[in-house]
């Protein structure tokens, strides 16, 4: 269900990873999606369905497909998440799902994004500066008034920057504040941000201690812009 995107001829260097929770029999509810939108946009998404097992995986498959279709038809990530939120209300087990959708536009050099209760993506600069994409965060799917529009924000990027999207299994640890995990991620990015996307993805998993899996599922996208 989570095949690697075919971006061999794409101008961006992209790597994806998926690690199921230890003991989950490779059946979980996290997902990633990478969509090339010609002529000059790249749509990225990660999401996290509550729970594990076949039920979570089935819900994940429906939500992932719906969001992937929505972003092809709608120009704004916030609109795509609005549609996904409405769809989630009709699916048992979908409420409370978190997701983040981002579009990289090569013409404007902007990343436009919207977050539904999900940990913020990180934009890493070659000089070691880190920016969290946290200015468009809203509650998870199905947990907000339907008449209130989802927020959306944009941030400029420069060639050589690196964008990282992930699910909470990468950074969260039991009895630990999420800010500690975010700090661990940004420090790891600062230390090895010059690596290509494939090596950086593997290095991040190793440095964060989850290369062999963790207590929760992990989905990860690394894009060298």
């Amino acid at each position: 269900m989570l095949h690697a995107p075919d971006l061999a001829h794409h101008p961006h260097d992209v790597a994806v990873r998926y690690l199921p929770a230890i003991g989950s029999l490779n059946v979980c509810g996290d997902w990633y999606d990478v969509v090339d939108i010609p002529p000059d946009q790249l749509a990225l998404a990660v999401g996290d369905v509550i729970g594990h097992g076949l039920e979570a995986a089935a819900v994940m498959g429906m939500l992932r497909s719906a969001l992937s279709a929505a972003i092809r038809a709608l120009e704004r990530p916030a609109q795509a998440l609005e549609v996904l939120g409405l769809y989630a209300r009709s699916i048992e087990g979908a409420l409370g799902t978190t997701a983040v959708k981002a579009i990289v536009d090569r013409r404007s050099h902007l990343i436009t994004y919207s977050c539904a209760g999900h940990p913020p993506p990180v934009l890493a600069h070659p000089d070691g500066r880190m920016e969290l994409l946290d200015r468009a965060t809203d509650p998870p799917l199905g947990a907000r008034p339907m008449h209130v529009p989802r927020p959306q924000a944009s941030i400029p990027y420069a060639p050589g920057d690196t964008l990282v999207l992930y699910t909470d299994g990468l950074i969260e640890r039991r009895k630990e504040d999420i800010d500690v995990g975010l700090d661990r991620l940004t420090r790891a990015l600062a230390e090895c941000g010059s690596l290509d996307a494939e090596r950086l993805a593997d290095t991040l998993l190793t440095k964060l201690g989850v290369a062999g899996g963790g207590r929760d599922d992990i989905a990860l996208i690394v894009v060298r812009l």
Side-chain angles (χ1 to χ4, degrees), residues 1 4 24 30 43 98 107 122 160 166 174 177 209:
M1 293 177 70
S24 65
D30 284 20
T98 69
R107 283 184 302 176
V122 180
Y166 56 92
R174 288 186 178 180
D177 191 271

Side-chain angles (χ1 to χ4, degrees), residues 8-100:
H9 304 293
H10 199 273
H12 295 312
D13 182 15
V14 182
V16 294
R17 296 289 185 273
Y18 172 74
L19 280 77
I22 294 173
S24 65
L25 300 179
N26 208 33
V27 181
C28 299
D30 284 20
W31 84 83
Y32 62 75
D33 193 36
V34 180
V35 177
D36 187 24
I37 303 177
D40 44 32
Q41 291 185 328
L42 183 67
L44 310 166
V46 292
D48 183 358
V49 174
I50 295 173
H52 304 284
L54 287 172
E55 181 179 345
V59 172
M60 177 274 289
M62 290 186 284
L63 294 180
R64 178 179 183 267
S65 296
L67 184 57
S68 191
I71 201 60
R72 287 170 163 89
L74 302 168
E75 294 182 0
R76 303 173 66 244
Q79 290 176 306
L81 286 180
E82 288 280 5
V83 170
L84 189 67
L86 292 173
Y87 182 51
R89 292 175 182 269
S90 68
I91 301 173
E92 185 176 353
L95 298 184
T97 295
T98 69
V100 58

Side-chain angles (χ1 to χ4, degrees), residues 57-173:
V59 172
M60 177 274 289
M62 290 186 284
L63 294 180
R64 178 179 183 267
S65 296
L67 184 57
S68 191
I71 201 60
R72 287 170 163 89
L74 302 168
E75 294 182 0
R76 303 173 66 244
Q79 290 176 306
L81 286 180
E82 288 280 5
V83 170
L84 189 67
L86 292 173
Y87 182 51
R89 292 175 182 269
S90 68
I91 301 173
E92 185 176 353
L95 298 184
T97 295
T98 69
V100 58
K101 189 77 202 184
I103 291 183
V104 178
D105 190 305
R106 293 189 296 278
R107 283 184 302 176
S108 62
H109 279 195
L110 283 177
I111 300 167
T112 303
Y113 65 95
S114 186
C115 234
H118 202 81
V122 180
L123 181 62
H125 302 284
D127 62 4
R129 290 183 300 113
M130 302 289 153
E131 294 187 83
L132 299 181
L133 277 61
D134 59 2
R135 294 189 292 110
T137 299
D138 220 27
L141 301 182
R144 61 190 297 282
M146 288 190 290
H147 64 278
V148 179
R150 283 198 178 275
Q152 179 173 290
S154 295
I155 185 172
Y157 74 87
D161 288 348
T162 302
L163 180 63
V164 179
L165 291 79
Y166 56 92
T167 54
D168 58 7
L170 182 68
I171 61 168
E172 288 190 350
R173 305 293 181 265

